[in-house]
Amino acid sequence: MTCFRIASALTIPVLLLVAPTAYWVIAAVFVIASLTDYLDGYLARRLDQQTRLGAVLDTIADKILVCIVLIVVVGGLEERSWIMLPACLIIAREFLVSALRELEGAGVSGHAVTKIAKWKAAVQMCALFLLLLGCATGGGMESWLVVAGVFTIWLAAAMTVMSGLDYFRKARATQFMEQPND
């Protein structure tokens, strides 16, 4: 399912190249890919099939999907300035947390996923879905879908910053951020 999510994410810009008005299809692909994220985690826990590789690929797949769709909606909206900052905050956090995980070793964090991180992901997915639907209906601020999507992406960005700061606070308490002993 993780590989499907990565393939789905990479299909999204191709759909735009083939049909610049394919936002309805892209929204459907995005929803299916987002649901496989939940289903993948649920099945891995339920069937006790959690692996280090699966954990790494799952987070990479999520980041690829979110970043690609953020780029697509920024390009598809008439009033892109309203989502530029939250999109940049979300993408920056994804890179920073990935770097932190690399520092912690083997790309897998010893920290459990927090509730705010799970809520952040859900709010991001809802915001991106609303914005994709907004793009499908014309992409202007006169669309309630775009207005709701802009509001929700700002909420997601705030949650993203909070979860990123929480992640770094917890990491700071670990050995890897201390000065080496000489």
Side-chain angles (χ1 to χ4, degrees), residues 29-160:
V29 169
F30 177 72
V31 166
I32 293 166
S34 297
L35 291 174
T36 65
D37 180 31
Y38 169 78
L39 184 60
D40 190 21
Y42 172 79
L43 289 175
R45 287 184 301 277
R46 178 95 170 152
L47 301 174
D48 197 27
Q49 296 292 315
Q50 296 169 301
T51 65
R52 289 174 57 89
L53 177 62
V56 170
L57 288 178
D58 183 65
T59 59
I60 290 170
D62 293 345
K63 290 171 187 351
I64 290 170
L65 180 63
V66 166
C67 290
I68 285 174
V69 174
L70 278 168
I71 292 166
V72 166
V73 297
V74 166
L77 293 175
E78 290 176 10
E79 297 291 333
R80 58 187 57 88
S81 60
W82 285 99
I83 65 166
M84 192 70 67
L85 179 59
C88 290
L89 288 171
I90 290 167
I91 291 171
R93 184 260 188 208
E94 299 304 344
F95 278 101
L96 290 168
V97 169
S98 292
L100 184 61
R101 286 183 176 137
E102 287 300 317
L103 285 172
E104 288 183 315
V108 179
S109 168
H111 304 293
V113 176
T114 62
K115 285 187 181 182
I116 190 164
K118 289 183 179 187
W119 278 102
K120 177 240 359 152
V123 172
Q124 275 181 356
M125 298 305 181
C126 290
L128 292 172
F129 180 64
L130 287 168
L131 290 167
L132 284 170
L133 292 179
C135 290
T137 60
M141 288 299 282
E142 66 278 354
S143 167
W144 71 269
L145 290 165
V146 173
V147 172
V150 167
F151 174 80
T152 311
I153 201 71
W154 276 93
L155 177 61
M159 294 172 79
T160 296

